[in-house]
PDB file of all heavy atoms in Angstrom:
ATOM      1  N   VAL A 399     156.590 234.517  26.180  1.00  0.00           N
ATOM      2  CA  VAL A 399     155.735 235.684  26.439  1.00  0.00           C
ATOM      3  C   VAL A 399     154.982 235.989  25.148  1.00  0.00           C
ATOM      4  O   VAL A 399     155.586 236.028  24.068  1.00  0.00           O
ATOM      5  CB  VAL A 399     156.580 236.906  26.863  1.00  0.00           C
ATOM      6  CG1 VAL A 399     155.710 238.154  26.982  1.00  0.00           C
ATOM      7  CG2 VAL A 399     157.301 236.631  28.178  1.00  0.00           C
ATOM      8  N   THR A 400     153.679 236.166  25.262  1.00  0.00           N
ATOM      9  CA  THR A 400     152.859 236.480  24.091  1.00  0.00           C
ATOM     10  C   THR A 400     152.145 237.803  24.335  1.00  0.00           C
ATOM     11  O   THR A 400     151.439 237.952  25.334  1.00  0.00           O
ATOM     12  CB  THR A 400     151.819 235.379  23.821  1.00  0.00           C
ATOM     13  OG1 THR A 400     152.490 234.128  23.649  1.00  0.00           O
ATOM     14  CG2 THR A 400     151.010 235.699  22.566  1.00  0.00           C
ATOM     15  N   ILE A 401     152.364 238.748  23.436  1.00  0.00           N
ATOM     16  CA  ILE A 401     151.787 240.092  23.566  1.00  0.00           C
ATOM     17  C   ILE A 401     150.932 240.372  22.347  1.00  0.00           C
ATOM     18  O   ILE A 401     151.405 240.258  21.206  1.00  0.00           O
ATOM     19  CB  ILE A 401     152.894 241.160  23.676  1.00  0.00           C
ATOM     20  CG1 ILE A 401     153.818 240.871  24.865  1.00  0.00           C
ATOM     21  CG2 ILE A 401     152.287 242.554  23.784  1.00  0.00           C
ATOM     22  CD1 ILE A 401     155.089 241.712  24.865  1.00  0.00           C
ATOM     23  N   ILE A 402     149.679 240.735  22.577  1.00  0.00           N
ATOM     24  CA  ILE A 402     148.791 241.171  21.498  1.00  0.00           C
ATOM     25  C   ILE A 402     148.446 242.633  21.742  1.00  0.00           C
ATOM     26  O   ILE A 402     147.966 242.992  22.818  1.00  0.00           O
ATOM     27  CB  ILE A 402     147.518 240.322  21.432  1.00  0.00           C
ATOM     28  CG1 ILE A 402     147.871 238.882  21.064  1.00  0.00           C
ATOM     29  CG2 ILE A 402     146.524 240.904  20.418  1.00  0.00           C
ATOM     30  CD1 ILE A 402     146.695 237.929  21.075  1.00  0.00           C
ATOM     31  N   SER A 403     148.715 243.473  20.752  1.00  0.00           N
ATOM     32  CA  SER A 403     148.489 244.910  20.890  1.00  0.00           C
ATOM     33  C   SER A 403     147.936 245.450  19.575  1.00  0.00           C
ATOM     34  O   SER A 403     148.663 245.563  18.588  1.00  0.00           O
ATOM     35  CB  SER A 403     149.805 245.610  21.252  1.00  0.00           C
ATOM     36  OG  SER A 403     149.610 246.996  21.394  1.00  0.00           O
ATOM     37  N   ARG A 404     146.624 245.758  19.596  1.00  0.00           N
ATOM     38  CA  ARG A 404     145.967 246.258  18.386  1.00  0.00           C
ATOM     39  C   ARG A 404     145.179 247.513  18.723  1.00  0.00           C
ATOM     40  O   ARG A 404     144.458 247.553  19.712  1.00  0.00           O
ATOM     41  CB  ARG A 404     145.011 245.202  17.814  1.00  0.00           C
ATOM     42  CG  ARG A 404     145.674 243.882  17.420  1.00  0.00           C
ATOM     43  CD  ARG A 404     144.670 242.943  16.777  1.00  0.00           C
ATOM     44  NE  ARG A 404     145.272 241.680  16.362  1.00  0.00           N
ATOM     45  CZ  ARG A 404     145.038 240.510  16.947  1.00  0.00           C
ATOM     46  NH1 ARG A 404     144.210 240.437  17.990  1.00  0.00           N
ATOM     47  NH2 ARG A 404     145.609 239.412  16.508  1.00  0.00           N
ATOM     48  N   ASP A 405     145.337 248.534  17.895  1.00  0.00           N
ATOM     49  CA  ASP A 405     144.595 249.786  18.085  1.00  0.00           C
ATOM     50  C   ASP A 405     143.211 249.679  17.455  1.00  0.00           C
ATOM     51  O   ASP A 405     143.023 248.932  16.484  1.00  0.00           O
ATOM     52  CB  ASP A 405     145.339 250.957  17.441  1.00  0.00           C
ATOM     53  CG  ASP A 405     146.558 251.374  18.246  1.00  0.00           C
ATOM     54  OD1 ASP A 405     146.712 250.881  19.388  1.00  0.00           O
ATOM     55  OD2 ASP A 405     147.352 252.185  17.744  1.00  0.00           O
ATOM     56  N   PRO A 406     142.241 250.455  17.956  1.00  0.00           N
ATOM     57  CA  PRO A 406     140.909 250.441  17.343  1.00  0.00           C
ATOM     58  C   PRO A 406     140.933 250.923  15.891  1.00  0.00           C
ATOM     59  O   PRO A 406     140.236 250.382  15.037  1.00  0.00           O
ATOM     60  CB  PRO A 406     140.100 251.400  18.217  1.00  0.00           C
ATOM     61  CG  PRO A 406     140.850 251.476  19.498  1.00  0.00           C
ATOM     62  CD  PRO A 406     142.288 251.312  19.150  1.00  0.00           C
ATOM     63  N   ALA A 407     141.735 251.950  15.626  1.00  0.00           N
ATOM     64  CA  ALA A 407     141.846 252.506  14.271  1.00  0.00           C
ATOM     65  C   ALA A 407     143.186 253.207  14.145  1.00  0.00           C
ATOM     66  O   ALA A 407     143.787 253.626  15.140  1.00  0.00           O
ATOM     67  CB  ALA A 407     140.702 253.482  14.001  1.00  0.00           C
ATOM     68  N   ALA A 408     143.632 253.335  12.925  1.00  0.00           N
ATOM     69  CA  ALA A 408     144.925 253.976  12.680  1.00  0.00           C
ATOM     70  C   ALA A 408     144.854 255.468  12.965  1.00  0.00           C
ATOM     71  O   ALA A 408     143.807 256.097  12.780  1.00  0.00           O
ATOM     72  CB  ALA A 408     145.351 253.748  11.230  1.00  0.00           C
ATOM     73  N   PRO A 409     145.969 256.067  13.405  1.00  0.00           N
ATOM     74  CA  PRO A 409     146.016 257.516  13.554  1.00  0.00           C
ATOM     75  C   PRO A 409     146.010 258.176  12.175  1.00  0.00           C
ATOM     76  O   PRO A 409     146.123 257.481  11.149  1.00  0.00           O
ATOM     77  CB  PRO A 409     147.337 257.753  14.278  1.00  0.00           C
ATOM     78  CG  PRO A 409     148.181 256.579  13.907  1.00  0.00           C
ATOM     79  CD  PRO A 409     147.249 255.426  13.754  1.00  0.00           C
ATOM     80  N   PRO A 410     145.891 259.498  12.103  1.00  0.00           N
ATOM     81  CA  PRO A 410     145.913 260.171  10.791  1.00  0.00           C
ATOM     82  C   PRO A 410     147.191 259.859  10.021  1.00  0.00           C
ATOM     83  O   PRO A 410     148.264 259.673  10.608  1.00  0.00           O
ATOM     84  CB  PRO A 410     145.849 261.658  11.170  1.00  0.00           C
ATOM     85  CG  PRO A 410     145.218 261.682  12.518  1.00  0.00           C
ATOM     86  CD  PRO A 410     145.682 260.434  13.208  1.00  0.00           C
ATOM     87  N   LYS A 411     147.072 259.795   8.717  1.00  0.00           N
ATOM     88  CA  LYS A 411     148.234 259.501   7.883  1.00  0.00           C
ATOM     89  C   LYS A 411     149.344 260.514   8.090  1.00  0.00           C
ATOM     90  O   LYS A 411     150.528 260.169   8.046  1.00  0.00           O
ATOM     91  CB  LYS A 411     147.813 259.464   6.406  1.00  0.00           C
ATOM     92  CG  LYS A 411     146.907 258.292   6.077  1.00  0.00           C
ATOM     93  CD  LYS A 411     146.297 258.401   4.691  1.00  0.00           C
ATOM     94  CE  LYS A 411     147.315 258.246   3.606  1.00  0.00           C
ATOM     95  NZ  LYS A 411     146.698 258.172   2.261  1.00  0.00           N
ATOM     96  N   GLU A 412     148.976 261.767   8.341  1.00  0.00           N
ATOM     97  CA  GLU A 412     149.969 262.816   8.556  1.00  0.00           C
ATOM     98  C   GLU A 412     150.824 262.495   9.783  1.00  0.00           C
ATOM     99  O   GLU A 412     152.023 262.798   9.822  1.00  0.00           O
ATOM    100  CB  GLU A 412     149.289 264.178   8.724  1.00  0.00           C
ATOM    101  CG  GLU A 412     148.535 264.669   7.504  1.00  0.00           C
ATOM    102  CD  GLU A 412     147.169 264.016   7.329  1.00  0.00           C
ATOM    103  OE1 GLU A 412     146.700 263.330   8.273  1.00  0.00           O
ATOM    104  OE2 GLU A 412     146.574 264.184   6.241  1.00  0.00           O
ATOM    105  N   TYR A 413     150.206 261.882  10.779  1.00  0.00           N
ATOM    106  CA  TYR A 413     150.942 261.495  11.984  1.00  0.00           C
ATOM    107  C   TYR A 413     151.854 260.306  11.686  1.00  0.00           C
ATOM    108  O   TYR A 413     153.033 260.294  12.073  1.00  0.00           O
ATOM    109  CB  TYR A 413     149.969 261.128  13.108  1.00  0.00           C
ATOM    110  CG  TYR A 413     150.656 260.534  14.320  1.00  0.00           C
ATOM    111  CD1 TYR A 413     151.241 261.348  15.279  1.00  0.00           C
ATOM    112  CD2 TYR A 413     150.742 259.148  14.480  1.00  0.00           C
ATOM    113  CE1 TYR A 413     151.893 260.802  16.380  1.00  0.00           C
ATOM    114  CE2 TYR A 413     151.387 258.595  15.573  1.00  0.00           C
ATOM    115  CZ  TYR A 413     151.961 259.429  16.518  1.00  0.00           C
ATOM    116  OH  TYR A 413     152.612 258.881  17.591  1.00  0.00           O
ATOM    117  N   ILE A 414     151.326 259.297  10.992  1.00  0.00           N
ATOM    118  CA  ILE A 414     152.108 258.102  10.696  1.00  0.00           C
ATOM    119  C   ILE A 414     153.379 258.450   9.938  1.00  0.00           C
ATOM    120  O   ILE A 414     154.461 257.911  10.203  1.00  0.00           O
ATOM    121  CB  ILE A 414     151.260 257.099   9.894  1.00  0.00           C
ATOM    122  CG1 ILE A 414     150.132 256.530  10.773  1.00  0.00           C
ATOM    123  CG2 ILE A 414     152.119 255.961   9.354  1.00  0.00           C
ATOM    124  CD1 ILE A 414     149.167 255.631  10.039  1.00  0.00           C
ATOM    125  N   GLU A 415     153.266 259.393   9.004  1.00  0.00           N
ATOM    126  CA  GLU A 415     154.399 259.742   8.144  1.00  0.00           C
ATOM    127  C   GLU A 415     155.560 260.366   8.908  1.00  0.00           C
ATOM    128  O   GLU A 415     156.694 260.354   8.440  1.00  0.00           O
ATOM    129  CB  GLU A 415     153.916 260.671   7.034  1.00  0.00           C
ATOM    130  CG  GLU A 415     153.030 259.954   5.999  1.00  0.00           C
ATOM    131  CD  GLU A 415     152.298 260.896   5.067  1.00  0.00           C
ATOM    132  OE1 GLU A 415     152.340 262.122   5.332  1.00  0.00           O
ATOM    133  OE2 GLU A 415     151.678 260.422   4.111  1.00  0.00           O
ATOM    134  N   VAL A 416     155.298 260.926  10.096  1.00  0.00           N
ATOM    135  CA  VAL A 416     156.369 261.556  10.880  1.00  0.00           C
ATOM    136  C   VAL A 416     156.607 260.828  12.206  1.00  0.00           C
ATOM    137  O   VAL A 416     157.393 261.288  13.027  1.00  0.00           O
ATOM    138  CB  VAL A 416     156.051 263.045  11.161  1.00  0.00           C
ATOM    139  CG1 VAL A 416     155.943 263.819   9.857  1.00  0.00           C
ATOM    140  CG2 VAL A 416     154.779 263.207  11.985  1.00  0.00           C
ATOM    141  N   SER A 417     155.948 259.685  12.400  1.00  0.00           N
ATOM    142  CA  SER A 417     155.990 259.000  13.698  1.00  0.00           C
ATOM    143  C   SER A 417     157.244 258.172  13.917  1.00  0.00           C
ATOM    144  O   SER A 417     157.521 257.757  15.039  1.00  0.00           O
ATOM    145  CB  SER A 417     154.766 258.085  13.830  1.00  0.00           C
ATOM    146  OG  SER A 417     154.865 256.998  12.918  1.00  0.00           O
ATOM    147  N   GLY A 418     157.969 257.890  12.849  1.00  0.00           N
ATOM    148  CA  GLY A 418     159.110 256.984  12.954  1.00  0.00           C
ATOM    149  C   GLY A 418     158.764 255.560  12.582  1.00  0.00           C
ATOM    150  O   GLY A 418     159.627 254.687  12.565  1.00  0.00           O
ATOM    151  N   GLY A 419     157.483 255.310  12.303  1.00  0.00           N
ATOM    152  CA  GLY A 419     157.071 253.975  11.889  1.00  0.00           C
ATOM    153  C   GLY A 419     156.463 253.181  13.020  1.00  0.00           C
ATOM    154  O   GLY A 419     156.603 253.504  14.203  1.00  0.00           O
TER     155      GLY A 419
END
Side-chain angles (χ1 to χ4, degrees):
V399 174
T400 303
I401 303 168
I402 295 175
S403 180
R404 300 184 179 110
D405 286 350
K411 292 170 68 172
E412 296 79 11
Y413 172 82
I414 292 175
E415 289 167 351
V416 298
S417 69

